[in-house]
Amino acid sequence: MKYPFFSNWIAYKRIPDQDAYFVKDYVLDTENIVPAEMMRFAKKLDGKINPYSIRGKRSLTETRELLDELDYLGVIRRDKGFISDGDGLYMRTIVRTRNTRIKMTISKILNVLLMVSFLPILIFGIYVYLKVDDFGYYDLSLLGRIIYAHPVLYVWGFNIFSLICGGAIHEVCHGIACRAYGGRVFEYGAMINILPGFYTLMDDSKVRSRLRKIQILAAGVEGNLLLVGGFLLLAGIFPDLKDVFSVGALVNIIMTFVNMMAIDGTDGLKILLLLIGMESKDIDDIKCMTKGKNKREILASNGYYGVAKLIACHMIIWLQRIYPIVILLDVIAVIGAFL
């Protein structure tokens, strides 16, 4: 983007009987009232149009001040799709998206298909993979010889492809589930925070059901497991490429396992916290709950919910402790797949 553009992560609504809009920024979590004239000007900005060419009767100075005001209110973006928080996090917008009824309807259909298909496809993929002699229909001996002539190159190449494909599908499935339940999806992008990855910028505050929020968080893993099943199916159908597709399945299995660990930022931790009615900021309280005998007894005396909450707290603590060991085993598994 060469010029400022209308922000894709705001929601706005005309205020009745006022020549103004109520604007909420879902990234900065701010709310403002913006005059309608300013909004009309902002909506014309798409990143390709020079704002000074549509200034109308405004002077250059007035237009510059207007742009600064719109930037301050979060109505427009000047980051050209690239954002940094100054602490090592870098985000790059790939797809900006608007929330429409058509997209919501399509998302509902896709989300249902995801929920009902990922497990059967995974199970069938495992079955086909184990019965490769019965399902190996296609003879790709020529392609197989080409690949095995340069195994490291092709396996590493497919490994990188699987990581990219798995990460992208994971985030897209989050967005599909969020939009299916009435949430907002603002953009999909890539980021670097120690390690590279993808992200979905969305808001599920309008989703009231706890189970639906859990499914939004679990949708990414469902997408990864669907991909695992697909790779295993391909490994069984194309036996000459079994090792290559097995690597793709292994990569997504590792992504699924790590993502379900109860560590900061993972879907697994967010799901556990939702189940026990707590938030990420309450991690210290969770640790305290398991230390004092009196606190444990109070939780245990609170019926099934108290016992479940106590068990979840223990799970979070122990999963965080064994996380480094899991990462080490994952690295060993990936290296072993190339040997």
Side-chain angles (χ1 to χ4, degrees), residues 79 227 283:
D79 50 56
L227 194 58
I283 290 294

Side-chain angles (χ1 to χ4, degrees), residues 22-217:
F22 174 78
V23 177
K24 180 173 181 179
D25 188 319
Y26 282 92
V27 172
L28 301 177
D29 195 25
T30 58
E31 298 175 351
N32 293 291
I33 295 177
V34 182
E37 183 183 358
M38 293 176 64
M39 286 293 290
R40 285 192 291 269
F41 176 79
K43 289 179 183 180
K44 296 177 182 179
L45 303 178
D46 60 1
K48 300 177 183 178
I49 299 175
N50 187 336
Y52 294 99
S53 67
I54 56 175
R55 59 191 173 92
K57 297 180 180 180
R58 300 182 188 90
S59 66
L60 292 174
T61 302
E62 290 173 337
T63 303
R64 188 179 302 111
E65 292 175 351
L66 175 59
L67 290 171
D68 290 339
E69 181 68 14
L70 289 170
D71 187 24
Y72 176 76
L73 295 173
V75 178
I76 63 172
R77 294 173 57 184
R78 285 173 160 171
D79 50 56
K80 300 180 181 178
F82 187 82
I83 312 165
S84 173
D85 67 350
D87 294 323
L89 173 64
Y90 300 91
M91 301 167 62
R92 174 69 186 185
T93 302
I94 296 177
V95 177
R96 289 184 291 152
T97 178
R98 292 291 179 184
N99 298 281
T100 63
R101 290 185 179 180
I102 294 177
K103 290 181 179 179
M104 184 178 292
T105 301
I106 294 174
S107 295
K108 288 180 180 179
I109 296 171
L110 292 177
N111 191 50
V112 171
L113 290 175
L114 175 65
M115 288 191 292
V116 301
S117 66
F118 84 92
L119 192 57
I121 290 177
L122 176 63
I123 294 173
F124 187 61
I126 294 173
Y127 176 76
V128 171
Y129 181 81
L130 295 176
K131 298 288 185 176
V132 63
D133 293 335
D134 298 330
F135 289 91
Y137 296 120
Y138 296 94
D139 181 12
L140 298 179
S141 56
L142 177 60
L143 182 58
R145 285 196 298 271
I146 295 175
I147 289 178
Y148 288 115
H150 308 282
V152 176
L153 177 62
Y154 283 97
V155 172
W156 269 107
F158 198 76
N159 182 27
I160 295 172
F161 169 79
S162 301
L163 280 170
I164 295 173
C165 191
I169 287 177
H170 182 99
E171 296 302 329
V172 168
C173 288
H174 278 316
I176 288 173
C178 181
R179 188 173 272 154
Y181 295 128
R184 295 175 179 271
V185 181
F186 303 111
E187 70 178 36
Y188 300 100
M191 66 178 183
I192 297 178
N193 187 12
I194 301 177
L195 295 174
F198 296 93
Y199 70 88
T200 302
L201 187 57
M202 60 186 182
D203 172 64
D204 63 355
S205 60
K206 292 185 178 180
V207 182
R208 301 301 180 187
S209 169
R210 186 181 298 183
L211 288 177
R212 288 184 173 184
K213 284 181 177 288
I214 290 173
Q215 203 272 314
I216 290 172
L217 293 171

Side-chain angles (χ1 to χ4, degrees), residues 308-326:
K309 193 170 185 177
L310 183 60
I311 292 173
C313 291
H314 280 292
M315 287 178 60
I316 291 171
I317 291 172
W318 281 104
L319 284 171
Q320 289 188 342
R321 288 176 179 174
I322 68 173
Y323 179 68
I325 299 175
V326 173

